[in-house]
Amino acid sequence: SRARSLDLERENASAARQPQPAALFEAVESTLFVEAQRNVLLCLPTKSGATLLRRLLPEFGWSLKRAPPVTIASHASYLKVAIVREPLSRLAAAFAYKASKVAAASRERGDLVRFLSTTRWQQLSQDPRRMDRHFQPQVLACRPDLLAYDVVLRFERLEADVRALLERLGAGPGATARLHALFERVAACSDDSSCVPREKPATDALPERTRRALLQLYGGDLEWWRSSGAGGEGAAAAAAHLQPARGRRGEEAVARVR
């Protein structure tokens, strides 16, 4: 019947949009971890608190392993969790960690804004999919367009969000009561670590062309971070930081991942 034919067409179109297992594995193989006992898939982009969580969660009995292809292919049967960080703060943390390796001139190594105007940064950011993982957009590291995450942890309020996750997974009051002390101990880190708060770069000093390039590169991260509940004044400030000085009206500042 005509109705049945239309249903089949819709089913085929939906199936065609689903990522093939091999392609999905290639997209998230370095960032997706599995906790088999709790049936959790956890995406940990670099410089978004990944090391912190990998130190913290074993204190609660978690055993995180790289997710193999067969696990990623069956992702629908797992609770999917990701962590996201405000993109400019993350960029500053990545630069603090990688400056000596990516900045050619010594005068650029302590000045992120200066570095963002160099041809070296243009080369590093030319192909986001093959970018250094410290600078690669989080939406490419976790692919929320392909994996519908059930929980998104926010770096800026990580302790509260981890507590809520542990409670959701059945951790008792005794376990979550230990979280604050553990968090302080595990979060003790070196100055170039991602767990050190970073000021966002003063992008007003950047040429408009560079600002637009940053917006195109990290607009998807900003939108994901904002939609995760880290919004309000913080999200508005981040959006204003990235928005070009002129031509703001009628412009949609979201980078689409296709």
Side-chain angles (χ1 to χ4, degrees):
S1 68
R2 175 66 175 166
R4 177 57 180 162
S5 177
L6 289 174
D7 286 343
L8 287 174
E9 288 179 10
R10 281 193 288 267
E11 289 174 7
N12 290 337
S14 177
R17 289 193 297 268
Q18 297 301 312
Q20 297 300 310
L24 181 55
F25 173 70
E26 183 179 354
V28 296
E29 62 177 317
S30 65
T31 53
L32 202 62
F33 295 80
V34 61
E35 211 298 330
Q37 184 177 351
R38 292 165 178 79
N39 210 48
V40 173
L41 284 175
L42 181 60
C43 186
L44 300 175
T46 304
K47 291 302 167 190
S48 298
T51 301
L52 183 58
L53 283 181
R54 292 182 68 182
R55 291 175 180 170
L56 180 72
L57 291 174
E59 298 282 351
F60 294 91
W62 287 50
S63 178
L64 293 174
K65 308 290 185 184
R66 298 274 185 186
V70 65
T71 298
I72 296 176
S74 59
H75 62 85
S77 62
Y78 288 82
L79 178 74
K80 290 178 286 296
V81 181
I83 182 170
V84 65
R85 181 177 188 174
E86 190 282 313
L88 291 182
S89 173
R90 176 175 176 262
L91 176 61
F95 182 72
Y97 181 73
K98 297 282 289 188
S100 63
K101 296 180 180 179
V102 299
S106 58
R107 66 179 180 277
E108 299 162 3
R109 292 175 188 165
D111 190 339
L112 174 57
V113 172
R114 183 193 293 268
F115 177 67
L116 292 174
S117 298
T118 65
T119 56
R120 175 60 175 154
W121 170 250
Q122 293 172 12
Q123 294 167 353
L124 285 172
S125 59
Q126 187 172 14
D127 186 351
R129 294 179 188 276
R130 292 174 173 78
M131 208 172 175
D132 183 297
R133 59 193 175 90
H134 295 81
F135 297 102
Q136 186 182 53
Q138 296 159 101
V139 291
L140 290 181
C142 291
R143 298 306 300 264
D145 59 324
L146 303 181
L147 295 169
Y149 288 97
D150 305 290
V151 178
V152 178
L153 310 173
R154 289 148 293 182
F155 176 87
E156 291 75 14
R157 47 173 297 178
L158 192 55
E159 183 177 343
D161 283 0
V162 170
R163 179 181 293 109
L165 176 64
L166 293 174
E167 291 174 351
R168 174 173 177 167
L169 294 173
T176 55
R178 293 190 297 120
L179 183 62
H180 182 69
L182 284 170
F183 210 93
E184 287 192 330
R185 175 168 64 83
V186 174
C189 51
S190 59
D191 288 342
D192 62 3
S193 173
S194 64
C195 60
V196 174
R198 301 287 175 186
E199 291 187 8
K200 293 185 284 291
T203 54
D204 287 342
L206 290 171
E208 185 168 324
R209 179 178 178 182
T210 305
R211 287 163 58 91
R212 288 181 178 275
L214 273 180
L215 179 59
Q216 182 177 4
L217 180 61
Y218 293 117
D221 277 7
L222 178 61
E223 192 68 16
W224 192 28
W225 177 77
R226 179 161 37 192
S227 66
S228 73
E233 294 180 0
H241 244 358
L242 280 173
Q243 195 74 2
R246 297 184 298 278
R248 294 180 182 179
R249 292 183 181 178
E251 293 188 3
E252 195 63 35
V254 179
R256 303 293 182 189
V257 178
R258 305 202 187 280

